[in-house]
Amino acid sequence: MTVVRSTLPDEARRVSSEALQETLIDLLGLSLIGKQAHWNVVGPRFRSVHLQLDEVVSSTRTHADTVAERAAAIGVPPDGRPETIAKVFSLPAPAEGWLRDSEAVEVMTDALGAAITRLRERIDATEKADLVTQDLLISITADLEKQRWMFEAENHPRES
């Protein structure tokens, strides 16, 4: 079997691979949370929330692919197996069954917020280890912050 070799020193590769694997799990989990909410959302804002959930799912799946390919490029096999996600994933998730539009917005705001907090920690961790991985994590964070902002704006009360 041919093994992909990294140009990174071992310690930098270890730091980067941990950050990438943890990010992969969060992104795949966010896509599952988004799809679950997408299928079960109900309420007067159904359409706008339904469409926004699809945007999050599409974005997180694309980012997950990029993260997995970065891991492979530095010589680390990414692990996105269902059992790995189920064992490790810990972001806020919706309850089973129908989900009011306001609840869907709240759970996505919370889940995205938690993922962003973790990404910022990984950005710090990769600063000296691998600027390429850090740059990737920064761009993902920017996108997730945009998604979170849109959900939070959706749930903001009107001013009188």
Side-chain angles (χ1 to χ4, degrees), residues 10-156:
D10 289 343
E11 180 59 16
R13 184 174 153 226
R14 183 194 63 75
V15 169
S16 294
S17 68
E18 285 177 11
L20 291 165
Q21 181 60 37
E22 291 167 0
T23 301
L24 179 63
I25 298 297
D26 282 354
L27 290 168
L28 293 172
L30 281 169
S31 75
L32 293 171
I33 289 170
K35 240 348 163 177
Q36 181 67 22
H38 171 86
W39 294 323
N40 290 288
V41 67
V42 294
R45 294 179 297 158
F46 164 81
R47 181 145 175 81
S48 65
V49 173
H50 186 78
L51 294 173
Q52 182 64 26
L53 288 164
D54 259 351
E55 286 182 33
V56 169
V57 170
S58 177
S59 176
T60 54
R61 286 180 177 170
T62 298
H63 289 315
D65 190 52
T66 303
V67 164
E69 289 175 352
R70 175 67 186 153
I74 64 169
V76 178
D79 188 357
R81 297 171 300 151
E83 59 269 26
T84 302
I85 297 166
K87 183 171 59 173
V88 179
F89 185 75
S90 63
L91 292 176
E96 182 179 350
W98 300 117
L99 195 61
R100 293 285 307 163
D101 50 9
S102 59
E103 294 169 324
V105 167
E106 185 175 334
V107 77
M108 290 309 298
T109 301
D110 291 347
L112 287 163
I116 290 163
T117 297
R118 294 177 188 191
L119 274 162
R120 288 187 170 282
E121 292 168 0
R122 294 175 199 138
I123 289 166
D124 289 343
T126 55
E127 181 178 13
K128 295 216 185 316
D130 180 15
L131 293 176
V132 176
T133 295
Q134 184 192 47
D135 185 56
L136 174 61
L137 299 178
I138 290 168
S139 68
I140 293 168
T141 302
D143 185 53
L144 295 186
E145 284 179 336
K146 177 183 173 186
Q147 295 292 343
R148 185 182 177 283
W149 157 60
M150 290 183 176
F151 277 112
E152 186 148 28
E154 183 80 31
N155 228 15
H156 193 276

